[in-house]
Amino acid sequence: MAVSKKIERTISQQSWIRKMFEDGLRLKKEFGAGNVFDFSLGNPNVEPPASLKKAFLEVASDDRPGVHAYMPNAGFLATRAALADFLGREHGIPLAAEHVIMTCGAAGALNVILKTILDPGDEVLVMTPFFVEYTAYVDNHGGVCKYVRTAEDFSLDLEAIEASISERTKAVLINSPNNPTGRVYTETELRGLADILIAKGRKIGRTIHLISDEPYDKIVYDGGTVPSLLKIYRESVIANSYSKTLSIPGERIGFIAVHPQAEAVETLIGGFVMCNRMLGFVNAPAFIQRVLPKVIGSSVDAEVYERKRDLLCRGLAERGYSFVKPQGAFYLFPRTPIADDVEFVRRLQKRNILTVPGSGFGSPGHFRIAYCVEDATIVNAMKGFGEVMGECR
Ligand SMILES: Cc1ncc(COP(=O)(O)O)c(C=O)c1O
């Protein structure tokens, strides 16, 4: 066998998102791109801010020797210092450069964090529905995912979280604004969670880390904000990236921010820096690290996604779909009108509408629509959404 049994198994279970994306490419070839409504992938369709292009050009013309060389594994000091200063003001907690480690996106950050903290068999609590890759990321580093359902409105179910913590719990992983639900956790929810982690951590005699995956933190609607976890829980570690904030997922740039008063802050930082190297990332890409200090604080216009959300929600509600209105990110996670979400998604696919079954996110009976698409795609897909709803009645 050319590949390991585990990888062979995983390939055969292949991610629904990727499968839909590939089906989409095939359908677009057959029917023409304008006749396929591809809501499968969270690829931002808003162009990066103009300031980014200007910064790219400035950095590209920097011809000092050594600009393409290796650097410390944590990233350029100047970039980390600029980011620490910005985050310190944003969170209201002073951070130094050493508390920020540059990574290859949020995906890289999460893998570095998990590699650093997990012993074999350690449990990580993951809220369902969840970002599909979490299962692989936790497994990559010998951990075990323990899935905890969220409430009907996708808010945190604090009782369920409390009941799921065991002597093996090493971390709780949350994502807000959430993929796939668009839910933004409130400060009250997060404070409640922190209280549980402190009390339970004392009881089991170990620190429970709160890993906060926040790549959508600047894509929030209706004037809302994402509460600062650093202010709420000392043992929190943030994984973030510019993939969605600046619409540059292909550039692979993100960071870890660690609470300066975390109990083992120095050991954690040492671990993160070493694991960035050991996982083969070595360091986050140099070019974009030089660009970042010039555009810190810029982000794409979230109102563009907010308008798309409204367009989609209005259209689907008129056609009888039920859902929790997203507060951020660019995903909607409606209930399927029939219990079998895979069958429902197949029916949509027959109308060239590509979505992802909720089962892929650990929540059957739902489906995910990534609405980071042209307005015309949303408008023109409504006929098919309506027809499939009609079939299900
Ligand atoms: C919830 C969540 N976490 C992490 C990632 C990975 O983002 P990045 O491109 O920054 O690695 C994504 C990407 O879609 C995501 O939706």
Side-chain angles (χ1 to χ4, degrees):
M1 188 55 63
V3 300
S4 75
K5 290 194 180 65
K6 194 167 173 180
I7 291 300
E8 198 192 4
R9 252 193 330 270
T10 315
I11 291 173
S12 68
Q13 289 160 357
Q14 218 204 44
S15 154
W16 268 105
I17 301 178
R18 283 281 155 188
K19 186 183 164 316
M20 277 296 167
F21 181 63
E22 275 151 32
D23 281 358
L25 295 179
R26 185 178 48 75
L27 288 172
K28 281 172 195 166
K29 229 174 176 179
E30 199 178 328
F31 296 99
N35 299 312
V36 178
F37 314 107
D38 188 352
F39 300 99
S40 62
L41 202 63
N43 214 356
N45 80 319
V46 173
E47 281 305 301
S51 55
L52 186 72
K53 185 164 182 204
K54 186 168 164 279
F56 270 131
L57 293 173
E58 280 167 21
V59 173
S61 62
D62 182 350
D63 50 11
R64 284 173 298 165
V67 289
H68 304 292
Y70 285 126
M71 69 190 78
N73 301 120
F76 289 124
L77 194 59
T79 306
R80 295 167 66 204
L83 201 46
D85 178 57
F86 177 76
L87 293 172
R89 278 183 279 122
E90 197 175 41
H91 289 265
I93 297 223
L95 293 180
E98 70 201 45
H99 302 120
V100 177
I101 290 105
M102 304 311 297
T103 61
C104 292
L110 289 168
N111 274 280
V112 166
I113 296 166
L114 293 165
K115 170 100 183 151
T116 304
I117 65 171
L118 292 181
D119 280 310
D122 274 348
E123 290 172 358
V124 179
L125 267 49
V126 169
M127 309 301 124
T128 49
F130 55 86
F131 174 54
V132 187
E133 307 292 353
Y134 288 164
T135 310
Y137 295 170
V138 171
D139 179 70
N140 280 347
H141 309 293
V144 178
C145 278
K146 203 163 170 185
Y147 300 104
V148 186
R149 63 182 162 72
T150 48
E152 268 290 293
D153 64 354
F154 304 125
S155 58
L156 294 173
D157 183 335
L158 297 180
E159 269 177 35
I161 294 175
E162 189 167 14
S164 302
I165 294 174
S166 78
E167 315 239 304
R168 306 252 38 184
T169 307
K170 193 67 190 273
V172 174
L173 171 53
I174 58 170
N175 163 227
S176 168
N178 187 269
N179 173 7
T181 67
R183 173 79 205 207
V184 178
Y185 301 138
T186 63
E187 186 164 340
T188 311
E189 277 173 282
L190 296 172
R191 287 202 183 277
L193 175 60
D195 289 345
I196 290 171
L197 300 189
I198 293 166
K200 280 282 190 176
R202 265 195 213 120
K203 198 161 171 198
I204 63 173
R206 81 195 299 211
T207 299
I208 304 176
H209 301 279
L210 182 53
I211 306 170
S212 183
D213 180 22
E214 305 184 352
Y216 303 94
D217 70 332
K218 301 290 179 292
I219 304 177
V220 190
Y221 309 140
D222 310 315
T225 50
V226 177
S228 163
L229 258 189
L230 292 184
K231 265 194 172 148
I232 294 174
Y233 187 55
R234 210 182 56 171
E235 301 301 337
S236 54
V237 184
I238 292 174
N240 205 331
S241 91
Y242 291 92
S243 293
K244 321 286 168 163
T245 311
L246 290 175
S247 284
I248 51 168
E251 301 301 339
R252 311 308 306 135
I253 187 70
F255 62 87
I256 297 171
V258 62
H259 196 296
Q261 271 103 44
E263 197 185 340
V265 64
E266 278 172 30
T267 325
L268 278 175
I269 293 170
F272 295 151
V273 175
M274 188 182 73
C275 290
N276 214 15
R277 184 178 78 238
M278 271 171 55
L279 286 172
F281 298 122
V282 183
N283 55 252
F287 186 86
I288 187 74
Q289 279 198 60
R290 289 190 190 281
V291 170
L292 277 186
K294 297 174 185 285
V295 293
I296 274 181
S298 316
S299 52
V300 293
D301 181 2
E303 277 183 19
V304 177
Y305 291 123
E306 187 170 340
R307 283 195 292 273
K308 291 180 194 298
R309 175 202 64 171
D310 292 342
L311 189 62
L312 180 66
C313 288
R314 219 171 23 246
L316 290 182
E318 280 166 14
R319 284 158 186 83
Y321 286 84
S322 68
F323 49 80
V324 179
K325 197 172 178 187
Q327 299 158 313
F330 37 59
Y331 307 99
L332 181 69
F333 202 57
R335 278 175 279 281
T336 49
I338 53 172
D340 185 344
D341 52 312
V342 175
E343 169 58 19
F344 180 75
V345 161
R346 278 207 192 99
R347 291 187 193 180
L348 287 176
Q349 193 176 352
K350 284 193 191 132
R351 305 281 197 302
N352 286 352
I353 299 174
L354 304 176
T355 59
V356 184
S359 307
F361 305 91
S363 273
H366 295 82
F367 66 113
R368 189 192 77 170
I369 302 175
Y371 56 84
C372 42
V373 296
E374 294 299 317
D375 289 3
T377 305
I378 298 174
V379 171
N380 295 332
M382 281 304 148
K383 182 167 174 283
F385 275 121
E387 285 168 1
V388 176
M389 176 54 92
E391 264 176 29
C392 295
R393 280 186 168 139

